[in-house]
Amino acid sequence: MKRAPRIGIALGSGSARGWAHIGVLRALAREGIEPTIISGCSIGAFVGAVAAAGDVEKLAVWVESLGWQRVVGLMDMGLRGGLIKGDRLIAFFERQFVDRDFTALPHQFGCVATDLHSGHEIWLREGSVSAAVRASIALPGLIAPVWQDGRLLVDGALVNPVPVSLARAMGADLVIAVELNSDVVGWAWRNRPPAGKGGSSGNGNGNGVPHWSRKLLARFGRNGNGDNDDGQAPAIDGEELPSMLSVMQDSISIMSVRIARSRMAGEPADVLISPRLAQLGLMDYHRGAEAIAEGEAAVEVALPAIRRALEQR
Protein backbone atom coordinates (compact mmCIF):
# COMPACT_ATOMS: atom_id res chain seq x y z
CA MET A 1 0.00 0.00 0.00
CA LYS A 2 1.25 3.45 -0.86
CA ARG A 3 2.62 5.40 2.13
CA ALA A 4 0.97 8.71 2.96
CA PRO A 5 3.34 11.60 2.29
CA ARG A 6 5.07 13.18 5.24
CA ILE A 7 3.81 16.76 5.27
CA GLY A 8 6.17 19.50 6.34
CA ILE A 9 5.47 23.18 6.87
CA ALA A 10 8.03 25.99 6.72
CA LEU A 11 6.93 29.00 8.78
CA GLY A 12 8.61 32.21 7.67
CA SER A 13 9.86 35.33 9.44
CA GLY A 14 7.90 38.54 9.77
CA SER A 15 7.75 39.63 13.44
CA ALA A 16 4.16 40.45 14.47
CA ARG A 17 2.84 39.31 11.11
CA GLY A 18 3.83 35.83 12.26
CA TRP A 19 0.63 35.45 14.25
CA ALA A 20 -0.84 34.64 10.81
CA HIS A 21 0.92 31.26 11.14
CA ILE A 22 -1.63 30.39 13.83
CA GLY A 23 -4.46 30.98 11.37
CA VAL A 24 -2.70 28.89 8.72
CA LEU A 25 -2.23 25.95 11.09
CA ARG A 26 -5.81 26.23 12.36
CA ALA A 27 -7.28 26.24 8.87
CA LEU A 28 -5.13 23.33 7.72
CA ALA A 29 -6.19 21.30 10.77
CA ARG A 30 -9.85 21.90 9.93
CA GLU A 31 -9.17 20.33 6.54
CA GLY A 32 -7.47 17.34 8.13
CA ILE A 33 -4.02 18.51 7.03
CA GLU A 34 -1.64 18.37 9.98
CA PRO A 35 2.07 18.68 9.25
CA THR A 36 4.27 16.37 11.29
CA ILE A 37 7.49 18.16 10.33
CA ILE A 38 7.75 21.85 11.22
CA SER A 39 10.57 24.23 10.41
CA GLY A 40 10.54 27.85 11.43
CA CYS A 41 12.48 31.08 11.24
CA SER A 42 12.18 33.95 13.73
CA ILE A 43 8.48 34.35 14.65
CA GLY A 44 7.93 31.19 12.60
CA ALA A 45 10.23 29.41 15.06
CA PHE A 46 8.21 30.76 17.98
CA VAL A 47 4.87 29.59 16.56
CA GLY A 48 6.40 26.43 15.10
CA ALA A 49 7.76 25.30 18.46
CA VAL A 50 4.35 25.73 20.05
CA ALA A 51 2.73 23.85 17.15
CA ALA A 52 5.24 21.00 17.49
CA ALA A 53 4.26 20.77 21.16
CA GLY A 54 0.56 20.59 20.23
CA ASP A 55 -0.40 23.90 21.84
CA VAL A 56 -1.55 26.01 18.88
CA GLU A 57 -4.99 26.71 20.34
CA LYS A 58 -3.48 27.74 23.67
CA LEU A 59 -1.22 30.16 21.81
CA ALA A 60 -4.16 31.47 19.78
CA VAL A 61 -6.14 32.30 22.93
CA TRP A 62 -3.18 34.20 24.36
CA VAL A 63 -2.41 36.07 21.13
CA GLU A 64 -6.03 37.12 20.61
CA SER A 65 -6.07 38.59 24.13
CA LEU A 66 -2.92 40.69 23.70
CA GLY A 67 -3.12 44.44 24.15
CA TRP A 68 -0.22 46.82 23.76
CA GLN A 69 0.23 47.06 27.55
CA ARG A 70 0.89 43.31 27.78
CA VAL A 71 3.23 43.44 24.78
CA VAL A 72 5.32 46.21 26.32
CA GLY A 73 5.30 44.33 29.61
CA LEU A 74 7.14 41.43 27.94
CA MET A 75 9.92 43.68 26.66
CA ASP A 76 12.94 44.12 28.91
CA MET A 77 14.90 47.13 27.78
CA GLY A 78 18.61 46.93 27.09
CA LEU A 79 21.22 48.80 25.07
CA ARG A 80 23.80 46.05 24.52
CA GLY A 81 23.13 44.17 21.29
CA GLY A 82 19.54 45.32 20.89
CA LEU A 83 16.75 47.49 22.29
CA ILE A 84 15.21 44.40 23.91
CA LYS A 85 17.12 41.77 25.91
CA GLY A 86 14.57 39.05 25.16
CA ASP A 87 14.96 37.30 28.52
CA ARG A 88 11.50 38.23 29.79
CA LEU A 89 9.79 37.04 26.59
CA ILE A 90 11.58 33.69 26.60
CA ALA A 91 10.90 33.16 30.32
CA PHE A 92 7.21 33.67 29.58
CA PHE A 93 7.45 31.34 26.57
CA GLU A 94 8.99 28.62 28.75
CA ARG A 95 6.37 28.98 31.49
CA GLN A 96 3.36 29.00 29.21
CA PHE A 97 4.34 26.95 26.18
CA VAL A 98 7.56 25.07 25.48
CA ASP A 99 10.31 24.31 27.99
CA ARG A 100 11.68 20.93 26.93
CA ASP A 101 14.21 19.16 24.76
CA PHE A 102 13.64 18.75 21.02
CA THR A 103 13.39 14.98 21.51
CA ALA A 104 10.37 15.43 23.81
CA LEU A 105 8.23 17.18 21.18
CA PRO A 106 5.35 15.18 19.64
CA HIS A 107 6.31 16.41 16.16
CA GLN A 108 9.67 17.02 14.50
CA PHE A 109 10.78 20.62 14.78
CA GLY A 110 13.79 22.63 13.70
CA CYS A 111 14.55 26.33 13.41
CA VAL A 112 17.07 28.59 11.72
CA ALA A 113 19.51 31.12 13.16
CA THR A 114 22.48 33.01 11.75
CA ASP A 115 26.05 32.94 13.05
CA LEU A 116 26.81 36.65 13.34
CA HIS A 117 30.57 36.16 13.03
CA SER A 118 30.71 33.79 10.04
CA GLY A 119 27.37 34.55 8.37
CA HIS A 120 26.62 30.83 8.25
CA GLU A 121 23.10 29.45 8.40
CA ILE A 122 22.64 27.41 11.59
CA TRP A 123 20.01 24.68 11.92
CA LEU A 124 18.93 24.19 15.52
CA ARG A 125 17.44 20.75 16.19
CA GLU A 126 18.98 19.59 19.46
CA GLY A 127 18.93 20.59 23.11
CA SER A 128 16.60 23.20 24.58
CA VAL A 129 13.73 24.27 22.34
CA SER A 130 13.34 27.63 24.08
CA ALA A 131 17.07 28.39 23.67
CA ALA A 132 16.81 27.64 19.95
CA VAL A 133 13.76 29.87 19.57
CA ARG A 134 15.52 32.65 21.50
CA ALA A 135 18.36 32.56 18.95
CA SER A 136 16.07 32.44 15.92
CA ILE A 137 14.05 35.52 16.98
CA ALA A 138 17.06 37.75 17.71
CA LEU A 139 16.22 40.43 15.14
CA PRO A 140 19.35 42.59 14.72
CA GLY A 141 19.05 45.95 16.43
CA LEU A 142 15.82 45.02 18.19
CA ILE A 143 16.45 41.82 20.18
CA ALA A 144 19.91 41.09 21.55
CA PRO A 145 21.88 38.20 20.02
CA VAL A 146 22.61 35.10 22.10
CA TRP A 147 25.72 33.00 22.65
CA GLN A 148 25.21 29.30 22.00
CA ASP A 149 27.93 26.66 21.70
CA GLY A 150 30.57 29.33 21.18
CA ARG A 151 28.63 31.08 18.41
CA LEU A 152 26.88 34.45 18.56
CA LEU A 153 23.49 33.81 16.97
CA VAL A 154 20.94 36.21 15.51
CA ASP A 155 17.70 35.98 13.54
CA GLY A 156 17.65 33.29 10.87
CA ALA A 157 15.87 35.67 8.48
CA LEU A 158 19.27 37.03 7.46
CA VAL A 159 19.98 33.79 5.61
CA ASN A 160 16.81 31.70 5.22
CA PRO A 161 13.55 33.54 6.00
CA VAL A 162 11.30 30.63 4.87
CA PRO A 163 13.21 27.43 5.70
CA VAL A 164 11.91 25.03 3.08
CA SER A 165 15.35 23.41 2.84
CA LEU A 166 15.29 22.53 6.54
CA ALA A 167 11.84 20.91 6.30
CA ARG A 168 13.06 18.74 3.41
CA ALA A 169 16.25 17.82 5.28
CA MET A 170 14.07 16.69 8.18
CA GLY A 171 12.30 14.22 5.88
CA ALA A 172 9.26 16.02 4.50
CA ASP A 173 7.89 14.60 1.24
CA LEU A 174 5.65 17.60 0.66
CA VAL A 175 6.44 21.08 1.97
CA ILE A 176 3.94 23.89 2.49
CA ALA A 177 5.71 27.24 2.89
CA VAL A 178 4.20 30.29 4.58
CA GLU A 179 5.73 33.59 3.44
CA LEU A 180 4.57 36.65 5.39
CA ASN A 181 6.05 39.58 3.47
CA SER A 182 4.93 39.03 -0.13
CA ASP A 183 2.81 42.21 -0.31
CA VAL A 184 4.72 44.37 2.14
CA VAL A 185 7.41 46.18 0.14
CA GLY A 186 6.29 49.71 -0.70
CA TRP A 187 2.88 49.38 0.97
CA ALA A 188 3.55 52.01 3.65
CA TRP A 189 4.62 54.58 1.05
CA ARG A 190 1.70 53.88 -1.27
CA ASN A 191 -0.73 54.30 1.61
CA ARG A 192 0.83 57.05 3.70
CA PRO A 193 -1.27 60.18 4.34
CA PRO A 194 -0.44 63.43 2.54
CA ALA A 195 2.29 65.56 4.11
CA GLY A 196 0.99 67.47 7.09
CA LYS A 197 -2.00 65.19 7.58
CA GLY A 198 -1.59 62.81 10.49
CA GLY A 199 -4.23 60.30 9.47
CA SER A 200 -4.00 59.06 13.02
CA SER A 201 -6.12 56.19 14.23
CA GLY A 202 -6.36 54.23 17.42
CA ASN A 203 -3.54 52.01 16.18
CA GLY A 204 -0.98 54.56 15.20
CA ASN A 205 -0.02 58.03 14.00
CA GLY A 206 0.71 59.71 10.71
CA ASN A 207 3.99 57.87 10.31
CA GLY A 208 2.44 54.48 10.92
CA VAL A 209 3.99 54.09 14.40
CA PRO A 210 1.58 52.58 16.94
CA HIS A 211 1.01 54.62 20.09
CA TRP A 212 2.44 51.80 22.21
CA SER A 213 5.63 51.82 20.14
CA ARG A 214 6.09 55.47 20.95
CA LYS A 215 5.65 54.67 24.63
CA LEU A 216 8.27 51.96 24.30
CA LEU A 217 10.82 54.26 22.67
CA ALA A 218 10.01 56.98 25.18
CA ARG A 219 11.89 54.88 27.72
CA PHE A 220 15.02 55.78 25.77
CA GLY A 221 14.15 59.46 25.60
CA ARG A 222 12.85 59.11 22.03
CA ASN A 223 9.28 59.71 20.89
CA GLY A 224 9.28 57.06 18.17
CA ASN A 225 8.17 59.47 15.43
CA GLY A 226 11.61 60.76 14.57
CA ASP A 227 10.31 64.21 15.56
CA ASN A 228 12.44 67.14 16.61
CA ASP A 229 12.16 68.52 20.12
CA ASP A 230 9.47 70.94 18.93
CA GLY A 231 7.30 68.01 17.83
CA GLN A 232 7.87 68.58 14.14
CA ALA A 233 9.14 65.80 11.91
CA PRO A 234 12.54 66.60 10.36
CA ALA A 235 12.42 67.21 6.65
CA ILE A 236 14.72 67.11 3.66
CA ASP A 237 13.79 69.20 0.60
CA GLY A 238 10.32 69.72 2.03
CA GLU A 239 9.62 66.00 2.54
CA GLU A 240 9.04 64.65 6.04
CA LEU A 241 11.38 61.87 7.09
CA PRO A 242 9.80 58.61 8.22
CA SER A 243 10.16 57.40 11.78
CA MET A 244 13.07 55.26 12.90
CA LEU A 245 10.72 52.29 13.28
CA SER A 246 9.32 52.81 9.79
CA VAL A 247 12.81 52.80 8.27
CA MET A 248 13.76 49.64 10.20
CA GLN A 249 10.47 47.96 9.33
CA ASP A 250 10.66 48.67 5.61
CA SER A 251 14.36 47.77 5.39
CA ILE A 252 13.84 44.43 7.12
CA SER A 253 10.85 43.66 4.91
CA ILE A 254 12.82 44.37 1.72
CA MET A 255 15.69 42.20 2.92
CA SER A 256 13.38 39.31 3.87
CA VAL A 257 11.45 39.40 0.60
CA ARG A 258 14.60 39.42 -1.55
CA ILE A 259 16.31 36.63 0.37
CA ALA A 260 13.17 34.50 0.55
CA ARG A 261 12.55 34.79 -3.19
CA SER A 262 16.14 33.87 -3.95
CA ARG A 263 16.16 30.88 -1.61
CA MET A 264 12.79 29.54 -2.75
CA ALA A 265 13.73 29.87 -6.40
CA GLY A 266 16.42 27.27 -5.81
CA GLU A 267 14.56 25.34 -3.09
CA PRO A 268 10.87 25.65 -4.03
CA ALA A 269 8.06 24.54 -1.79
CA ASP A 270 5.31 22.33 -3.16
CA VAL A 271 2.73 24.92 -2.10
CA LEU A 272 3.26 28.56 -1.11
CA ILE A 273 0.80 30.31 1.21
CA SER A 274 1.05 34.11 1.26
CA PRO A 275 -1.25 35.90 3.73
CA ARG A 276 -1.99 39.56 2.93
CA LEU A 277 -0.35 41.32 5.87
CA ALA A 278 1.09 44.61 4.60
CA GLN A 279 -1.29 46.60 6.80
CA LEU A 280 0.40 45.16 9.90
CA GLY A 281 3.63 46.63 11.20
CA LEU A 282 6.49 44.48 12.45
CA MET A 283 5.68 45.50 16.04
CA ASP A 284 1.89 45.18 15.89
CA TYR A 285 1.79 42.16 18.16
CA HIS A 286 -1.45 43.47 19.69
CA ARG A 287 -3.28 42.92 16.37
CA GLY A 288 -3.10 39.15 16.57
CA ALA A 289 -6.75 38.45 15.78
CA GLU A 290 -6.40 40.32 12.49
CA ALA A 291 -3.23 38.42 11.55
CA ILE A 292 -4.79 35.05 12.43
CA ALA A 293 -7.81 35.81 10.25
CA GLU A 294 -5.54 36.66 7.32
CA GLY A 295 -3.72 33.35 7.77
CA GLU A 296 -6.98 31.43 7.67
CA ALA A 297 -8.11 33.33 4.56
CA ALA A 298 -4.83 32.55 2.79
CA VAL A 299 -5.31 28.83 3.35
CA GLU A 300 -8.73 28.99 1.69
CA VAL A 301 -7.06 30.43 -1.41
CA ALA A 302 -4.30 27.80 -1.37
CA LEU A 303 -6.48 24.73 -0.67
CA PRO A 304 -6.89 23.64 -4.33
CA ALA A 305 -3.11 23.70 -4.79
CA ILE A 306 -2.58 21.78 -1.54
CA ARG A 307 -5.06 19.10 -2.56
CA ARG A 308 -3.46 18.74 -5.99
CA ALA A 309 -0.03 18.39 -4.42
CA LEU A 310 -1.31 15.70 -2.04
CA GLU A 311 -2.98 13.79 -4.86
CA GLN A 312 0.27 13.72 -6.82
CA ARG A 313 2.20 12.10 -3.96
Side-chain angles (χ1 to χ4, degrees), residues 19 43 46 59 62-63 65-78 83-97 134 137 142-143 212 216 219 283 285-286:
W19 296 148
I43 189 66
F46 188 104
L59 178 61
W62 176 70
V63 166
S65 72
L66 278 178
W68 66 261
Q69 296 96 333
R70 292 182 69 185
V71 174
V72 172
L74 289 171
M75 296 182 179
D76 41 359
M77 301 296 102
L83 290 176
I84 300 166
K85 296 177 186 176
D87 298 339
R88 192 179 297 170
L89 174 62
I90 290 301
F92 176 84
F93 177 75
E94 291 176 341
R95 289 194 308 272
Q96 297 296 321
F97 301 110
R134 170 67 182 82
I137 66 171
L142 185 62
I143 300 179
W212 72 264
L216 178 65
R219 298 188 185 188
M283 299 295 288
Y285 290 99
H286 59 299

Side-chain angles (χ1 to χ4, degrees), residues 23 145 148 177 187 203 227 288:
Q148 192 174 120
W187 187 92
N203 292 325
D227 291 350

Side-chain angles (χ1 to χ4, degrees), residues 189-244:
W189 297 102
R190 293 192 300 271
N191 292 276
R192 65 174 177 163
K197 296 186 182 295
S200 179
S201 69
N203 292 325
N205 59 34
N207 287 321
V209 182
H211 294 318
W212 72 264
S213 297
R214 285 185 284 152
K215 291 177 184 290
L216 178 65
L217 289 178
R219 298 188 185 188
F220 297 93
R222 302 293 301 275
N223 63 16
N225 293 328
D227 291 350
N228 295 318
D229 292 339
D230 60 2
Q232 298 298 313
I236 295 179
D237 295 332
E239 289 287 335
E240 289 185 3
L241 291 176
S243 69
M244 178 181 74

Side-chain angles (χ1 to χ4, degrees), residues 81-82 85 111-126 128 130-141 143-159:
K85 296 177 186 176
C111 60
V112 179
T114 304
D115 185 327
L116 189 60
H117 290 158
S118 69
H120 292 161
E121 177 178 343
I122 306 298
W123 289 354
L124 301 172
R125 298 179 55 192
E126 298 178 342
S128 166
S130 61
V133 170
R134 170 67 182 82
S136 190
I137 66 171
L139 186 65
I143 300 179
V146 60
W147 284 102
Q148 192 174 120
D149 298 328
R151 299 175 300 207
L152 188 60
L153 302 182
V154 295
D155 197 319
L158 297 179
V159 289

